[in-house]
Every structure is written in structure tokens, then in C-alpha cells.
Amino acid sequence: MVKELTGMERRKILLTMMQQSQTPISGNSLGKKTGVSRQVVVQDIALLRTEGYPIRSTPKGYYLERAHQRQHVRTFKVHHTNDEVEDELNAIVDLGGTVLDVMVNHRAYGKMTAALHIKCRRDVRMFVENIQSGKSTPLLNVTSGYHFHTVSAESEAVLDEIEQMLSERGYLAKLLPYEKELSAGIKEAASDAQSPEAGC
């Protein structure tokens, strides 16, 4: 009969798996390795986070953030046309930013967010091609071109450069009073949405 792991032993195994992996590990995989359900893994991850371990979650699973992966995050309100989407995104990634998501705040439908994780020109090209080849249109169209991007970078200085560039190109939009709290909330939520850097 296999000895059941204690919570401490189980969490130690989860940490070791994440430390040794270069890619996110799904909750199901972590559960199978430790003999528990995905729900128990979620609880274990929450406990490990309270102990100070920088565990991040992505659509593909969990990973332990290394020091070199830690990123600074800022939310920008922008405004532009469909024809300017590619230029805006290329300009951000060229300066070293990763566009984590796009969000609009519709008066009738509320806040709508879509994950992007665009970090290089190849990602931009694929995103634009997907938009052009499909029957859908960019999310910005439901709010007359106004939308938010959460952007991560290796330093605040890079984010400052991105903000200046967006302003110079006329893409940066002024935050309304009620949007300042909204912007802060997006930034906080996005810090858990970052995924490990991958080659482009």
C-alpha cells in the first residue's frame, strides 16, 4: 500500500517539479504526480504563495518565476484605428515590451478582456493575420477604438520609453477619473497572467 503524502511533502514535490521544469505544468499533471485532485493542487499552490514562493499561473499551467523572469507591469489606455493595430503592437515589442492582454470597458457589457502575450514581431504578424483571415474584428471596435493594454517589461525605464512612444505616435489616451482604479485592477490581475519568455 502506497503511503499517502502529507501536505508538506506534497507541496515540496510540487515545488521541485516547478523548479526543474522550463515550461508551465498543468494542475492535472501536478495532481497525478502527487496523487491528489486538481482542486487540492490549487489549494497547495495558494498555500505556497502565502509562504512567499513566486508561483505564476498561465492557461498552460503553473511555473515558478525565476529572478530573471520577473517583469514590471503597466497598463496603458490607447486609441487607434484597425489599420494602426500592427504599427502599435510592433512599436511596443520593438522596445522590449510584452503585450499581455487587451481590455475594453463597455458601458452595456462591462469589462471584456482577452489574453494576447505578444512579445515579438512574429507574434504581431500571426495576431494580425488571424484577425484578417477571420470573421471577427478587433475588440477595440466595440468602444470606438479606445482600449487598454497591459504591458510587461524588464524595467520601469522600458515602460517609460513605451509610454513616451505611444504618446508621440498619438496612441496614448487620457484616463478618465473612474478608469484610474480600473487600470490599477488590471495591473494587479495581470501580474499572475505572465508566462515564461519563449523564443521568437
Side-chain angles (χ1 to χ4, degrees), residues 64-126:
L64 189 64
E65 185 182 61
R66 277 77 170 177
H68 71 275
Q69 292 175 327
R70 294 182 186 174
Q71 300 279 292
H72 297 261
V73 180
R74 191 177 301 178
T75 302
F76 300 106
K77 181 184 178 182
V78 291
H79 178 263
H80 56 73
T81 66
N82 289 345
D83 292 337
E84 294 170 323
V85 168
E86 187 170 7
D87 179 67
E88 177 221 29
L89 294 175
N90 276 332
I92 292 173
V93 300
D94 285 350
L95 287 174
T98 296
V99 185
L100 298 176
D101 61 26
V102 58
M103 190 280 288
V104 296
N105 191 33
H106 195 276
R107 289 188 178 183
Y109 301 120
K111 186 174 73 173
M112 294 180 285
T113 306
L116 296 179
H117 292 286
I118 293 173
K119 56 189 174 296
C120 59
R121 280 184 171 252
R122 177 177 176 272
D123 291 345
V124 174
R125 186 175 68 252
M126 292 177 63

Side-chain angles (χ1 to χ4, degrees), residues 175-185:
L175 282 172
L176 299 175
Y178 77 93
E179 290 174 329
K180 292 181 180 179
E181 291 184 8
L182 178 69
S183 177

Side-chain angles (χ1 to χ4, degrees), residues 11 14 18 39-53 55 62:
R11 288 187 289 277
L14 296 182
M18 287 184 284
Q39 287 76 15
V40 174
V41 170
V42 171
Q43 294 171 3
D44 280 341
I45 294 295
L47 284 172
L48 288 169
R49 282 172 170 163
T50 62
E51 294 174 14
Y53 292 100
I55 299 171
Y62 300 98

Side-chain angles (χ1 to χ4, degrees), residues 20-40:
Q20 295 176 347
S21 177
Q22 297 299 312
T23 57
I25 308 175
S26 71
N28 287 334
S29 296
L30 292 170
K32 286 180 181 178
K33 182 69 176 179
T34 53
V36 296
S37 67
R38 187 177 64 84
Q39 287 76 15
V40 174

